[in-house]
Amino acid sequence: MKIGILSSFPPRKCGIAYLTVNLFDRLRAQGHSLVTFGIDESESQHPLNTRTLTGLLEILPILEREGVQHVSIQFIISFYGKKHFGLNFLLLLWRLRRRGIRVIVTLHEIHYLRSFGQVFSQPLDLFHIALEGLIARLSAGVIVHTETQARIVRGYGMRNVRCVRLGIRTQPVPRDRKNLDKALFFGKLAPIKGVHLFAGIARACPGVHFTLATSVEAKFVDYQRQCERELAGIANLTFICKEWIGDEEKDKYFADADVLVLPYVSGHYQSGAASESGVYNIPVVLTDLGPLTEVPDTFGNGIVVKGFEPQAFRAAIETIFADYPKYLEGVSRYREAANWDKAAEGYVAFLQS
C-alpha cells in the first residue's frame, strides 16, 4: 500500500519526530511505500506549507500524481501553525474527504473538561476540544494512544476511534543490579512537568541519587532559573539542562538508572517520557493525571502516586525497589503490547478498514 504521511521528522528537535520515525521505518519494513510531507526543517520528500490558510492544499496534486488513496497524519496544532487556529488543517481534511482519500489522524493531545471551573481558568481548552471534535468528524478515523482518550473522543460523536499505543523500541537494557539507588527524570523542562518538586522528593529520599536530564525551550528560561535556585546544594541530585539531549546521551542516563520518576503536576494526555519505561526496561513512578496513568494501571510497570507530597514518592520508590522483579514483569508485558511492529500493524489495519 502507498501511504501519504504528514508529520514532523528528524532533525527537527521534536519528540514526535524522533518517536514516529520508528513507525515509518516499520511500515516500510512491512512492504508499504511512503510519500512523506514534513514540518519545518524535517527530512521528508515534500515540505508542508503552513504559512498561508490554503498552503496545506499544495499536497493535493502530489497525492494525485503519486496515486495515494490512504493518508496518515500526526497532529499537534503547533505543527500546522497556531496562527490559523486549525482552519488550514480542517480545510485540508475537507478537501481530502471530497476526493475520496481515506485519512486517519493521530491526535497526540486530547483535551477534555475535567471540571466546570476549567471553562473560566483555561478557556483555550474549549477551543482545542472543538477543534479535535471537528477533526474527528472530518477524518475517516482517529487514532489515540490510550483507551481513556478513545472514550473521550467518542464523546464528541465520532465512533471510528481506535487506541493504538504509542509505539516503543524495545532496547535490551538489563536490570540485574543488586543495589537499587538511582532515579531518573527525563524530558522537557516545563512547569507542568513538576521538576521543581524534586527539591522535596530528593530530600525525602537521601539514599537515592536523582539525575534530572532535561531540555529547555527559550520560553521556559525563567522556570529553568527557578529550578536551578531550588535544586542547588542538594547532595543526592544532579540537574542537567540543555537545548537538546541526543540519543547516545539519553541511552546512558536510562541505562544508569533504576527507576523513572515523573512528578507531573498537570496534563491530560499520554507522556512520551512515560513510554520510555518500555523502551529502556525500567519501572516508572508518576502522578495521577488522567490518561497518563493508563499504562501502569494496565500493565503494572510502575506505581501511580496520589498527590504531590515528597513522602508519597518516597513510598512508591521504596515499594518498587522492594519488589523489583514484579515491576520488571509489568514492563515486559508493556513491551510486548506496544512495540513498533504492533503499532504499525494497527495503523495499516485502520487505514485499510
Side-chain angles (χ1 to χ4, degrees), residues 87-105:
L87 294 175
N88 58 335
F89 190 75
L90 296 176
L91 178 61
L92 173 65
L93 291 181
W94 177 67
R95 291 290 297 273
L96 290 171
R97 184 170 181 165
R98 289 194 65 186
R99 289 181 175 225
I101 295 175
R102 184 171 176 80
V103 182
I104 302 297
V105 179

Side-chain angles (χ1 to χ4, degrees), residues 57-305:
L57 301 182
E58 293 173 10
I59 77 168
L60 296 177
I62 300 173
L63 295 176
E64 184 175 2
R65 183 173 69 244
E66 295 283 350
V68 174
Q69 290 297 310
H70 299 84
V71 172
S72 174
I73 302 177
Q74 306 294 316
F75 182 81
I76 293 176
I77 189 171
S78 60
F79 283 2
Y80 302 95
K82 288 184 178 180
K83 65 181 178 180
H84 303 302
F85 301 101
L87 294 175
N88 58 335
F89 190 75
L90 296 176
L91 178 61
L92 173 65
L93 291 181
W94 177 67
R95 291 290 297 273
L96 290 171
R97 184 170 181 165
R98 289 194 65 186
R99 289 181 175 225
I101 295 175
R102 184 171 176 80
V103 182
I104 302 297
V105 179
T106 300
L107 295 175
H108 287 277
E109 298 177 353
I110 299 294
H111 299 76
Y112 61 99
L113 284 178
R114 300 175 297 284
S115 69
F116 183 72
Q118 184 183 346
V119 174
F120 303 99
S121 63
Q122 297 175 287
L124 191 58
D125 282 353
L126 295 179
F127 159 73
H128 285 290
I129 290 169
L131 177 61
E132 289 157 15
L134 289 169
I135 289 171
R137 289 177 178 273
L138 285 172
S139 58
V142 165
I143 285 175
V144 294
H145 296 311
T146 75
E147 293 293 349
T148 301
Q149 291 174 327
R151 289 194 296 271
I152 292 168
V153 178
R154 291 187 187 108
Y156 299 155
M158 174 65 183
R159 314 316 301 175
N160 204 15
V161 181
R162 294 189 188 179
C163 170
V164 177
R165 297 201 178 274
L166 187 65
I168 56 174
R169 296 171 294 135
T170 51
Q171 297 189 183
V173 181
R175 299 285 171 193
D176 52 9
R177 292 189 291 272
K178 300 301 181 184
N179 297 321
L180 303 172
D181 60 2
K182 294 182 177 63
L184 173 69
F185 172 92
F186 185 88
K188 289 280 190 179
L189 185 65
I192 66 170
K193 301 295 182 71
V195 171
H196 56 280
L197 295 179
F198 278 104
I201 295 170
R203 290 188 176 101
C205 306
V208 179
H209 187 276
F210 292 83
T211 297
L212 317 183
T214 71
S215 56
V216 67
E217 299 175 3
K219 63 182 178 180
F220 292 129
V221 168
D222 288 344
Y223 182 63
Q224 175 188 354
R225 291 171 182 154
Q226 173 193 336
C227 289
E228 288 170 346
R229 290 192 303 269
E230 296 183 7
L231 301 174
I234 301 176
N236 61 323
L237 185 147
T238 302
F239 179 46
I240 300 157
C241 189
K242 300 182 175 183
E243 181 184 358
W244 183 254
I245 296 176
D247 284 344
E248 185 175 346
E249 185 178 1
K250 175 183 177 183
D251 290 349
K252 182 180 184 304
Y253 290 139
F254 273 93
D256 289 344
D258 301 309
V259 64
L260 180 65
V261 180
L262 304 173
Y264 295 176
V265 298
S266 179
H268 40 264
Y269 37 84
Q270 80 292 331
S271 162
S275 72
E276 305 287 16
S277 168
V279 176
Y280 292 97
N281 190 33
I282 186 171
V284 62
V285 173
L286 43 75
T287 41
D288 188 12
L289 292 173
L292 182 67
T293 70
E294 188 169 304
V295 169
D297 285 345
T298 301
F299 298 102
N301 63 318
I303 291 178
V304 176
V305 173

Side-chain angles (χ1 to χ4, degrees), residues 24-37:
F24 308 142
D25 287 345
R26 296 316 305 158
L27 288 171
R28 292 186 181 98
Q30 292 175 10
H32 306 287
S33 60
L34 309 184
V35 181
T36 58
F37 301 86

